Amino acid sequence: MTSHIVGYPRIGPKRELKFALESFWEGKSSAEELKQVAADLRFSIWKQMAEVGIKYIPSNTFSYYDHVLDTTAMLGAVPPRYGWNGGEIGFDVYFSMARGNASVPAMEMTKWFDTNYHYIVPELGPDVKFSYASHKAVEEYKEAKALGLDTVPVLIGPLSYLLLSKPAKGVDKSFSLLSLVEKIVPIYKEVVAELKAAGATWIQFDEPSLVLDLEALQLQTFTNAYSELESSFSGVNILIETYFADVPIQTYKALTSLKNVAGFGFDLVRGTRTLNFLKSGFPSDKYLFAGVVDGRNIWANDLAASLCILQVLEGIVGKDKVVVSTSCSLLHTAVDLVNETKLDKEIKSWLAFAAQKVVEVNALARALVGQKDQAFFASNATSHASRRSSPRVRNENVQRAVVALKDSDHRRATSVSARLAAQQKKLNLPILPTTTIGSFPQTIGLRKVRREYKAKKITEYDYVNAMKEEISKVVKLQEELGIDVLVHGEPERNDMVEYFGEQLSGFAFTVNGWVQSYGSRCVKPPIIYGDVSRPRAMTVFWSSTAQSMTRRPMKGMLTGPVTILNWSFVRNDQNRHETCYQIALAIRDEVEDLERAGINIIQIDEAALREGLPLRKSEQPFYLEWAVQSFRITNCGVKNTTQIHTHMCYSNFNDIINAIINMDADVITIENSRSDEKLLSVFHEGVKYEAGIGPGVYDIHSPRIPSTEELADRINKMLAVLDNRVLWINPDCGLKTRKYSEVEPALRNMVAAAKLIRTQLAGSN
């Protein structure tokens, strides 16, 4: 009986890591106290898996911020601006790279493949002096061993690390990051040698980049790296783990041809064609780690179907060579369903969080060797039958409305240039108009009011008055700062997706279903279990209230259908695009109600458009087609004078810029500052964008406050490639994670920079 878990959530069942990190960053607790919380979390994770019966328990999947950043620390690839002078990397340098500090900005952060997890992008170049500078992998292995647990240390493999990196500032963009493989392989050898000396019998190398459409040089780099590592693999079992999609056939052949590698892991949930590759040939002396339990969703596994697949695999690779595993790390799912005491019982019976998925893996492994738990399998079958037959899942009216969408492309009747002219006539905005993305700081007092209202400790009257008071404060602050287009600050919203899901049919919600997005930032994705519709208006009251407090334009703030979809746990019993169209129709109803209420600017955030892009190029056009159409459905019926904004953040957008243009929004605000103005390069290359655009001028995920001069310099860089008539000035993202002591001076400097450039532009005419 062999079972394996690729990785496990690190935040704790009730976000223990988040609170420990924030306490440490605020100076309220010591480094030793933070380390103790981390050690307790690791122990509880390892103990849980051991008690269930998991054979291959992962270690080194815990991280204080991000596992890619951990690898950067392991390799000593610290950018010079952080002042590291060698030795073991400590918290000061580590967290400065992640979050920035008073004097230097953080490293870029972007999405981890097609997930909502964010990683810190390594900055590399020919002058980086790699060194073994963090022994975390070995220390955690030894820690588990001292507790009587033999774990499988997990490392990000050399190919994936390099492909996830970018050239450092000042390094020629043509520099081949893959050429650095010869410099980092010796450090991997040191790590492997230390792990072997500590007693490790298995080491897992994660190479998720193998599921991409690799070029010949990239695939050859992979082969060369592991050929070079081959000698160090003697005396230890090596597992190369892939996930998130199928491995292409040429990559599959190169991967399974490696010597001195004991096993290969494949995602058999999203990798729908992998089974055919396995049937075409698999090395007889290797282990197959079969990822049949979904690590990215919360639906209970269909145990009977998975067992059938595993039995087929046994026939291909041999009875003792199949290891039951998760499809990927459980980092991307909620921690433990046992904490959900308020969740609807029927819906709860359909679900499995990380702790339950560990049990599923073990149950399948036992069944595969003839130790099937009949009661557990019968209960699983009952829950699946309940879900298939439940009347709460399907709404015939919603289904018919989606079918009716197929006869139109849902594009607004006039061009964006004509619309912008009509909007400017009505709004009368200055050049380089300033705005923010939506949310303002969520103070302790504000969170307390929301909590007490949900717990029915205060009346609706008191709650509404508290929210109005907060909105008034935010409106007055923006007016005092001189911001041109205002927001109401979203005090009524804890989370942009959860807020809307709570008011839409077909959604369920958890109390502790937290998932790490990055560092201490956690999200609680809603669960889409059925057809989606909007029973009543969701935001009109708050937007109208805010607009009544000012003569300046007030943005109505909505989350777009693609983002709601990608930031939720989505039903797996119908195609994702069908669910997205349902959400789009619901948001369209809200947009039209906002317009009728006199809101002239409506922002429909599509922050997660890019992250849903399939990893394989052949699948990307269809996704972009339905994703873009879903956005257009939401606003195709508004007047020319109603300005539609959208917002996107923390992804590489350059490769989908044409799809972004095709969304036909009037204004787009987009992350730019943390990625070294990478977005602007697409305009240097001649892409013409006629709509309004606000590339973020400063990074809100860092506490650092940029100066007026720095922001003015950024604006000038933008004006080198963008017309001043379409450029907007705004931060990178919403401000709710920041403090007012950071937000006020940063926005004051942003407005001052915009006014400075306006004066310069006026003087040059």
Side-chain angles (χ1 to χ4, degrees):
M1 183 185 72
T2 51
S3 50
H4 167 252
I5 304 298
V6 176
Y8 200 81
R10 44 183 91 127
I11 58 171
K14 295 186 178 179
R15 297 182 291 165
E16 290 86 345
L17 179 61
K18 167 191 171 65
F19 299 125
L21 283 169
E22 292 175 350
S23 176
F24 173 70
W25 293 336
E26 292 169 7
K28 296 176 181 177
S29 60
S30 67
E32 291 309 311
E33 288 172 306
L34 174 58
K35 290 176 182 178
Q36 186 58 56
V37 170
D40 291 344
L41 284 172
R42 287 193 295 269
F43 173 66
S44 66
I45 291 167
W46 294 331
K47 181 184 176 185
Q48 175 199 356
M49 286 193 242
E51 289 177 346
V52 167
I54 300 299
K55 181 176 181 180
Y56 300 113
I57 298 172
S59 61
N60 198 41
T61 58
F62 177 86
S63 177
Y64 286 103
Y65 204 94
D66 163 50
H67 55 288
V68 180
L69 182 61
D70 293 348
T71 308
T72 294
M74 181 185 83
L75 297 171
V78 180
R81 66 181 178 274
Y82 299 109
W84 177 65
N85 295 313
E88 190 80 4
I89 290 174
F91 280 163
D92 283 353
V93 172
Y94 181 86
F95 288 129
S96 290
M97 289 192 287
R99 306 177 70 239
N101 58 44
S103 57
V104 292
M107 295 168 71
E108 180 184 352
M109 181 170 65
T110 196
K111 297 291 175 73
W112 172 251
F113 293 86
D114 58 346
T115 75
N116 187 32
Y117 178 78
H118 301 66
Y119 75 94
I120 303 297
V121 182
E123 301 173 13
L124 305 180
D127 298 328
V128 175
K129 292 179 173 58
F130 296 98
S131 63
Y132 188 11
S134 171
H135 294 68
K136 175 178 173 293
V138 178
E139 289 166 357
E140 287 189 16
Y141 174 79
K142 289 179 177 178
E143 179 185 330
K145 192 172 183 181
L147 296 168
L149 299 168
D150 186 25
T151 59
V152 179
V154 178
L155 306 172
I156 293 178
L159 176 72
S160 293
Y161 179 76
L162 292 175
L163 291 182
L164 291 166
S165 304
K166 70 173 186 179
K169 198 167 186 177
V171 173
D172 194 295
K173 299 303 179 187
S174 64
F175 174 73
S176 173
L177 295 171
L178 295 178
S179 67
L180 298 173
V181 71
E182 296 176 355
K183 295 184 177 182
I184 67 173
V185 162
I187 298 170
Y188 277 94
K189 286 183 176 181
E190 287 187 69
V191 179
V192 170
E194 275 201 17
L195 287 170
K196 285 197 297 184
T201 55
W202 280 85
I203 301 173
Q204 176 179 316
F205 282 79
D206 279 6
E207 288 284 10
S209 292
L210 291 178
V211 304
L212 304 176
D213 297 302
L214 297 180
E215 299 169 1
L217 175 61
Q218 294 169 331
L219 189 53
Q220 188 60 52
T221 300
F222 166 75
T223 302
N224 292 346
Y226 282 88
S227 295
E228 181 63 27
L229 284 166
E230 184 183 318
S231 61
S232 66
F233 291 163
S234 177
V236 66
N237 295 293
I238 298 298
L239 163 64
I240 299 182
E241 185 67 52
T242 69
Y243 38 80
F244 296 153
D246 289 298
V247 173
I249 186 60
Q250 289 305 118
T251 304
Y252 174 83
K253 290 177 179 178
L255 173 62
T256 54
S257 298
L258 291 178
K259 298 175 182 178
N260 247 4
V261 172
F264 307 102
F266 298 104
D267 183 338
L268 297 177
V269 176
R270 293 189 173 227
T272 55
R273 293 186 290 271
T274 300
L275 187 57
N276 291 330
F277 298 162
L278 293 166
K279 289 177 180 177
S280 69
F282 187 82
S284 59
D285 59 337
K286 308 295 185 186
Y287 288 91
L288 170 63
F289 285 69
V292 293
V293 173
D294 192 350
R296 289 186 57 176
N297 218 325
I298 42 68
W299 303 106
N301 186 269
D302 186 338
L303 296 177
S306 293
L307 184 58
C308 287
I309 292 171
L310 291 166
Q311 289 167 339
V312 169
L313 294 172
E314 274 193 330
I316 297 170
V317 306
K319 208 165 182 63
D320 61 340
K321 294 295 184 183
V322 176
V323 180
V324 183
S325 185
T326 53
S327 64
C328 63
S329 172
L330 298 175
L331 171 71
H332 309 289
T333 191
V335 180
D336 196 342
L337 193 58
V338 75
N339 296 315
E340 300 307 323
T341 56
K342 297 182 180 179
L343 192 60
D344 178 277
K345 287 184 178 179
E346 182 184 30
I347 294 173
K348 188 174 179 178
S349 73
W350 302 342
L351 307 178
F353 290 179
Q356 289 69 47
K357 289 176 185 293
V358 170
V359 175
E360 289 178 338
V361 166
N362 190 64
L364 286 166
R366 291 177 64 87
L368 200 57
V369 295
Q371 300 174 23
K372 185 176 180 181
D373 184 334
Q374 297 292 350
F376 189 69
F377 270 68
S379 175
N380 177 264
T382 299
S383 73
H384 279 275
S386 162
R387 186 176 168 210
R388 284 192 297 270
S389 61
S390 177
R392 67 201 306 176
V393 170
R394 189 172 175 86
N395 181 322
E396 293 299 331
N397 291 332
V398 173
Q399 294 281 335
R400 283 194 292 270
V402 169
V403 170
L405 289 172
K406 295 178 180 176
D407 298 327
S408 170
D409 68 354
H410 305 282
R411 191 180 287 275
R412 291 171 78 177
T414 54
S415 69
V416 68
S417 56
R419 298 196 307 264
L420 286 174
Q423 292 155 12
Q424 178 58 16
K425 189 173 180 181
K426 185 169 188 175
L427 297 170
N428 192 30
L429 296 172
I431 62 166
L432 310 181
T434 54
T435 190
T436 65
I437 304 306
S439 62
F440 265 65
Q442 300 264 317
T443 63
I444 293 173
L446 183 58
R447 293 179 190 274
K448 181 183 177 185
V449 169
R450 281 203 308 263
R451 247 188 344 264
E452 290 181 342
Y453 178 60
K454 279 198 170 186
K456 298 183 179 178
K457 292 181 178 179
I458 61 173
T459 65
E460 182 175 4
Y461 178 83
D462 289 336
Y463 169 75
V464 170
N465 279 342
M467 294 301 105
K468 284 183 176 179
E469 186 178 328
E470 183 70 19
I471 291 169
S472 176
K473 182 178 80 172
V474 169
V475 170
K476 287 177 182 175
L477 173 62
Q478 291 172 92
E479 288 183 326
E480 186 268 321
L481 290 171
I483 293 173
D484 301 302
V485 174
L486 311 189
V487 298
H488 77 286
E490 303 176 9
E492 77 285 9
R493 308 178 195 182
N494 178 58
D495 176 87
M496 59 189 287
V497 174
E498 183 180 8
Y499 175 80
F500 289 99
E502 285 178 337
Q503 301 181 78
L504 296 169
S505 64
F507 282 76
F509 297 88
T510 63
V511 174
N512 288 298
W514 297 100
V515 178
Q516 186 181 30
S517 180
Y518 60 86
S520 67
R521 169 75 171 142
C522 301
V523 295
K524 195 168 52 172
I527 298 165
I528 305 178
Y529 67 84
D531 289 338
V532 178
S533 62
R534 187 198 72 147
R536 64 192 67 84
M538 301 180 286
T539 66
V540 175
F541 172 76
W542 300 116
S543 292
S544 300
T545 297
Q547 184 63 82
S548 70
M549 297 175 177
T550 182
R551 293 184 177 182
R552 300 187 187 193
M554 176 66 61
K555 286 196 282 189
M557 301 300 303
L558 304 175
T559 302
V562 184
T563 296
I564 291 176
L565 183 87
N566 286 335
W567 285 359
S568 299
F569 290 125
V570 183
R571 58 191 292 193
N572 58 0
D573 60 343
Q574 77 174 5
N575 290 325
R576 288 175 69 87
H577 68 271
E578 297 288 340
T579 302
C580 198
Y581 288 152
Q582 293 177 1
I583 302 169
L585 287 170
I587 299 300
R588 182 175 72 182
D589 291 344
E590 188 71 12
V591 168
E592 292 174 355
D593 278 353
L594 282 168
E595 184 181 57
R596 280 191 287 270
I599 303 301
N600 295 314
I601 302 179
I602 303 171
Q603 182 170 307
I604 308 167
D605 287 345
E606 284 296 13
L609 180 82
R610 175 62 174 77
E611 81 182 43
L613 188 71
L615 300 176
R616 303 295 292 282
K617 292 177 182 176
S618 62
E619 299 168 10
Q620 293 174 1
F622 178 62
Y623 167 79
L624 291 171
E625 178 186 347
W626 62 256
V628 167
Q629 187 171 14
S630 294
F631 177 81
R632 292 205 306 251
I633 286 168
T634 66
N635 61 85
C636 60
V638 301
K639 303 174 203 171
N640 283 351
T641 51
T642 298
Q643 190 168 85
I644 298 297
H645 289 220
T646 191
H647 171 67
M648 297 179 183
C649 57
Y650 297 101
S651 284
N652 181 8
F653 297 104
N654 291 25
D655 55 347
I656 62 164
I657 190 66
N658 290 324
I660 292 173
I661 293 170
N662 201 27
M663 290 170 71
D664 201 28
D666 296 312
V667 177
I668 179 171
T669 54
I670 199 162
E671 183 275 327
N672 173 67
S673 66
R674 191 160 180 170
S675 55
D676 295 328
E677 286 88 27
K678 188 192 303 179
L679 173 70
L680 299 184
S681 66
V682 76
F683 301 109
H684 280 290
E685 292 161 8
V687 169
K688 294 190 176 179
Y689 192 75
E690 297 181 352
I693 183 167
V697 295
Y698 78 91
D699 174 27
I700 66 89
H701 290 95
S702 170
R704 181 174 171 273
I705 299 166
S707 67
T708 299
E709 293 73 23
E710 178 184 337
L711 294 170
D713 181 61
R714 275 220 172 100
I715 295 169
N716 278 323
K717 286 181 180 177
M718 296 171 187
L719 288 172
V721 291
L722 294 167
D723 192 306
N724 62 44
R725 290 170 296 182
V726 301
L727 182 61
W728 285 63
I729 309 303
N730 48 263
D732 264 348
C733 205
L735 303 169
K736 75 175 182 179
T737 61
R738 300 263 58 89
K739 300 174 183 175
Y740 273 104
S741 59
E742 299 160 345
V743 166
E744 290 188 36
L747 290 181
R748 197 176 302 279
N749 291 349
M750 183 187 82
V751 172
K755 290 179 177 178
L756 176 64
I757 302 300
R758 285 175 195 161
T759 301
Q760 291 174 356
L761 290 171
S764 63
N765 290 336

mmCIF file with all atom_site columns, all heavy atoms in Angstrom, residues 657-668:
data_model
loop_
_atom_site.group_PDB
_atom_site.id
_atom_site.type_symbol
_atom_site.label_atom_id
_atom_site.label_alt_id
_atom_site.label_comp_id
_atom_site.label_asym_id
_atom_site.label_entity_id
_atom_site.label_seq_id
_atom_site.pdbx_PDB_ins_code
_atom_site.Cartn_x
_atom_site.Cartn_y
_atom_site.Cartn_z
_atom_site.occupancy
_atom_site.B_iso_or_equiv
_atom_site.pdbx_formal_charge
_atom_site.auth_seq_id
_atom_site.auth_comp_id
_atom_site.auth_asym_id
_atom_site.auth_atom_id
_atom_site.pdbx_PDB_model_num
ATOM 1  N N   . ILE A 1 657 ? -2.528  40.757 -24.874 1.00 0.00 ? 657 ILE A N   1
ATOM 2  C CA  . ILE A 1 657 ? -2.922  42.154 -25.034 1.00 0.00 ? 657 ILE A CA  1
ATOM 3  C C   . ILE A 1 657 ? -4.036  42.307 -26.068 1.00 0.00 ? 657 ILE A C   1
ATOM 4  O O   . ILE A 1 657 ? -4.938  43.144 -25.920 1.00 0.00 ? 657 ILE A O   1
ATOM 5  C CB  . ILE A 1 657 ? -1.694  43.037 -25.390 1.00 0.00 ? 657 ILE A CB  1
ATOM 6  C CG1 . ILE A 1 657 ? -2.060  44.524 -25.308 1.00 0.00 ? 657 ILE A CG1 1
ATOM 7  C CG2 . ILE A 1 657 ? -1.129  42.668 -26.746 1.00 0.00 ? 657 ILE A CG2 1
ATOM 8  C CD1 . ILE A 1 657 ? -2.379  45.007 -23.919 1.00 0.00 ? 657 ILE A CD1 1
ATOM 9  N N   . ASN A 1 658 ? -4.020  41.484 -27.113 1.00 0.00 ? 658 ASN A N   1
ATOM 10 C CA  . ASN A 1 658 ? -5.082  41.593 -28.118 1.00 0.00 ? 658 ASN A CA  1
ATOM 11 C C   . ASN A 1 658 ? -6.431  41.189 -27.550 1.00 0.00 ? 658 ASN A C   1
ATOM 12 O O   . ASN A 1 658 ? -7.469  41.768 -27.903 1.00 0.00 ? 658 ASN A O   1
ATOM 13 C CB  . ASN A 1 658 ? -4.735  40.752 -29.349 1.00 0.00 ? 658 ASN A CB  1
ATOM 14 C CG  . ASN A 1 658 ? -3.581  41.348 -30.132 1.00 0.00 ? 658 ASN A CG  1
ATOM 15 O OD1 . ASN A 1 658 ? -3.451  42.572 -30.228 1.00 0.00 ? 658 ASN A OD1 1
ATOM 16 N ND2 . ASN A 1 658 ? -2.729  40.501 -30.690 1.00 0.00 ? 658 ASN A ND2 1
ATOM 17 N N   . ALA A 1 659 ? -6.445  40.200 -26.673 1.00 0.00 ? 659 ALA A N   1
ATOM 18 C CA  . ALA A 1 659 ? -7.694  39.810 -26.016 1.00 0.00 ? 659 ALA A CA  1
ATOM 19 C C   . ALA A 1 659 ? -8.178  40.922 -25.102 1.00 0.00 ? 659 ALA A C   1
ATOM 20 O O   . ALA A 1 659 ? -9.386  41.194 -25.012 1.00 0.00 ? 659 ALA A O   1
ATOM 21 C CB  . ALA A 1 659 ? -7.494  38.516 -25.236 1.00 0.00 ? 659 ALA A CB  1
ATOM 22 N N   . ILE A 1 660 ? -7.236  41.604 -24.425 1.00 0.00 ? 660 ILE A N   1
ATOM 23 C CA  . ILE A 1 660 ? -7.605  42.718 -23.552 1.00 0.00 ? 660 ILE A CA  1
ATOM 24 C C   . ILE A 1 660 ? -8.229  43.845 -24.366 1.00 0.00 ? 660 ILE A C   1
ATOM 25 O O   . ILE A 1 660 ? -9.246  44.429 -23.972 1.00 0.00 ? 660 ILE A O   1
ATOM 26 C CB  . ILE A 1 660 ? -6.368  43.205 -22.768 1.00 0.00 ? 660 ILE A CB  1
ATOM 27 C CG1 . ILE A 1 660 ? -5.924  42.127 -21.767 1.00 0.00 ? 660 ILE A CG1 1
ATOM 28 C CG2 . ILE A 1 660 ? -6.655  44.517 -22.044 1.00 0.00 ? 660 ILE A CG2 1
ATOM 29 C CD1 . ILE A 1 660 ? -4.617  42.425 -21.060 1.00 0.00 ? 660 ILE A CD1 1
ATOM 30 N N   . ILE A 1 661 ? -7.642  44.144 -25.497 1.00 0.00 ? 661 ILE A N   1
ATOM 31 C CA  . ILE A 1 661 ? -8.217  45.159 -26.390 1.00 0.00 ? 661 ILE A CA  1
ATOM 32 C C   . ILE A 1 661 ? -9.620  44.733 -26.826 1.00 0.00 ? 661 ILE A C   1
ATOM 33 O O   . ILE A 1 661 ? -10.554 45.540 -26.886 1.00 0.00 ? 661 ILE A O   1
ATOM 34 C CB  . ILE A 1 661 ? -7.301  45.379 -27.610 1.00 0.00 ? 661 ILE A CB  1
ATOM 35 C CG1 . ILE A 1 661 ? -5.973  46.018 -27.171 1.00 0.00 ? 661 ILE A CG1 1
ATOM 36 C CG2 . ILE A 1 661 ? -7.991  46.241 -28.664 1.00 0.00 ? 661 ILE A CG2 1
ATOM 37 C CD1 . ILE A 1 661 ? -4.914  46.057 -28.256 1.00 0.00 ? 661 ILE A CD1 1
ATOM 38 N N   . ASN A 1 662 ? -9.777  43.437 -27.099 1.00 0.00 ? 662 ASN A N   1
ATOM 39 C CA  . ASN A 1 662 ? -11.054 42.902 -27.580 1.00 0.00 ? 662 ASN A CA  1
ATOM 40 C C   . ASN A 1 662 ? -12.141 42.940 -26.505 1.00 0.00 ? 662 ASN A C   1
ATOM 41 O O   . ASN A 1 662 ? -13.325 42.817 -26.816 1.00 0.00 ? 662 ASN A O   1
ATOM 42 C CB  . ASN A 1 662 ? -10.850 41.463 -28.066 1.00 0.00 ? 662 ASN A CB  1
ATOM 43 C CG  . ASN A 1 662 ? -11.934 41.018 -29.025 1.00 0.00 ? 662 ASN A CG  1
ATOM 44 O OD1 . ASN A 1 662 ? -12.550 41.832 -29.719 1.00 0.00 ? 662 ASN A OD1 1
ATOM 45 N ND2 . ASN A 1 662 ? -12.197 39.732 -29.060 1.00 0.00 ? 662 ASN A ND2 1
ATOM 46 N N   . MET A 1 663 ? -11.757 43.102 -25.224 1.00 0.00 ? 663 MET A N   1
ATOM 47 C CA  . MET A 1 663 ? -12.762 43.241 -24.164 1.00 0.00 ? 663 MET A CA  1
ATOM 48 C C   . MET A 1 663 ? -13.600 44.501 -24.367 1.00 0.00 ? 663 MET A C   1
ATOM 49 O O   . MET A 1 663 ? -14.721 44.583 -23.885 1.00 0.00 ? 663 MET A O   1
ATOM 50 C CB  . MET A 1 663 ? -12.076 43.282 -22.801 1.00 0.00 ? 663 MET A CB  1
ATOM 51 C CG  . MET A 1 663 ? -11.478 41.958 -22.378 1.00 0.00 ? 663 MET A CG  1
ATOM 52 S SD  . MET A 1 663 ? -10.443 42.116 -20.897 1.00 0.00 ? 663 MET A SD  1
ATOM 53 C CE  . MET A 1 663 ? -11.694 42.428 -19.642 1.00 0.00 ? 663 MET A CE  1
ATOM 54 N N   . ASP A 1 664 ? -13.037 45.496 -25.050 1.00 0.00 ? 664 ASP A N   1
ATOM 55 C CA  . ASP A 1 664 ? -13.754 46.710 -25.430 1.00 0.00 ? 664 ASP A CA  1
ATOM 56 C C   . ASP A 1 664 ? -14.168 47.556 -24.222 1.00 0.00 ? 664 ASP A C   1
ATOM 57 O O   . ASP A 1 664 ? -15.202 48.220 -24.244 1.00 0.00 ? 664 ASP A O   1
ATOM 58 C CB  . ASP A 1 664 ? -14.979 46.357 -26.288 1.00 0.00 ? 664 ASP A CB  1
ATOM 59 C CG  . ASP A 1 664 ? -15.469 47.536 -27.131 1.00 0.00 ? 664 ASP A CG  1
ATOM 60 O OD1 . ASP A 1 664 ? -14.635 48.396 -27.475 1.00 0.00 ? 664 ASP A OD1 1
ATOM 61 O OD2 . ASP A 1 664 ? -16.681 47.592 -27.423 1.00 0.00 ? 664 ASP A OD2 1
ATOM 62 N N   . ALA A 1 665 ? -13.369 47.532 -23.163 1.00 0.00 ? 665 ALA A N   1
ATOM 63 C CA  . ALA A 1 665 ? -13.617 48.421 -22.023 1.00 0.00 ? 665 ALA A CA  1
ATOM 64 C C   . ALA A 1 665 ? -13.210 49.838 -22.403 1.00 0.00 ? 665 ALA A C   1
ATOM 65 O O   . ALA A 1 665 ? -12.364 50.051 -23.274 1.00 0.00 ? 665 ALA A O   1
ATOM 66 C CB  . ALA A 1 665 ? -12.826 47.947 -20.811 1.00 0.00 ? 665 ALA A CB  1
ATOM 67 N N   . ASP A 1 666 ? -13.796 50.810 -21.733 1.00 0.00 ? 666 ASP A N   1
ATOM 68 C CA  . ASP A 1 666 ? -13.426 52.200 -21.997 1.00 0.00 ? 666 ASP A CA  1
ATOM 69 C C   . ASP A 1 666 ? -12.104 52.561 -21.325 1.00 0.00 ? 666 ASP A C   1
ATOM 70 O O   . ASP A 1 666 ? -11.323 53.339 -21.871 1.00 0.00 ? 666 ASP A O   1
ATOM 71 C CB  . ASP A 1 666 ? -14.525 53.136 -21.490 1.00 0.00 ? 666 ASP A CB  1
ATOM 72 C CG  . ASP A 1 666 ? -15.835 52.925 -22.240 1.00 0.00 ? 666 ASP A CG  1
ATOM 73 O OD1 . ASP A 1 666 ? -15.807 52.883 -23.476 1.00 0.00 ? 666 ASP A OD1 1
ATOM 74 O OD2 . ASP A 1 666 ? -16.870 52.771 -21.572 1.00 0.00 ? 666 ASP A OD2 1
ATOM 75 N N   . VAL A 1 667 ? -11.872 52.015 -20.138 1.00 0.00 ? 667 VAL A N   1
ATOM 76 C CA  . VAL A 1 667 ? -10.638 52.279 -19.396 1.00 0.00 ? 667 VAL A CA  1
ATOM 77 C C   . VAL A 1 667 ? -10.199 50.987 -18.711 1.00 0.00 ? 667 VAL A C   1
ATOM 78 O O   . VAL A 1 667 ? -11.036 50.274 -18.142 1.00 0.00 ? 667 VAL A O   1
ATOM 79 C CB  . VAL A 1 667 ? -10.833 53.378 -18.317 1.00 0.00 ? 667 VAL A CB  1
ATOM 80 C CG1 . VAL A 1 667 ? -9.545  53.587 -17.517 1.00 0.00 ? 667 VAL A CG1 1
ATOM 81 C CG2 . VAL A 1 667 ? -11.296 54.685 -18.946 1.00 0.00 ? 667 VAL A CG2 1
ATOM 82 N N   . ILE A 1 668 ? -8.913  50.701 -18.769 1.00 0.00 ? 668 ILE A N   1
ATOM 83 C CA  . ILE A 1 668 ? -8.373  49.557 -18.034 1.00 0.00 ? 668 ILE A CA  1
ATOM 84 C C   . ILE A 1 668 ? -7.278  50.031 -17.100 1.00 0.00 ? 668 ILE A C   1
ATOM 85 O O   . ILE A 1 668 ? -6.409  50.822 -17.496 1.00 0.00 ? 668 ILE A O   1
ATOM 86 C CB  . ILE A 1 668 ? -7.839  48.466 -18.988 1.00 0.00 ? 668 ILE A CB  1
ATOM 87 C CG1 . ILE A 1 668 ? -7.267  47.302 -18.177 1.00 0.00 ? 668 ILE A CG1 1
ATOM 88 C CG2 . ILE A 1 668 ? -6.801  49.004 -19.951 1.00 0.00 ? 668 ILE A CG2 1
ATOM 89 C CD1 . ILE A 1 668 ? -6.908  46.099 -19.014 1.00 0.00 ? 668 ILE A CD1 1
#
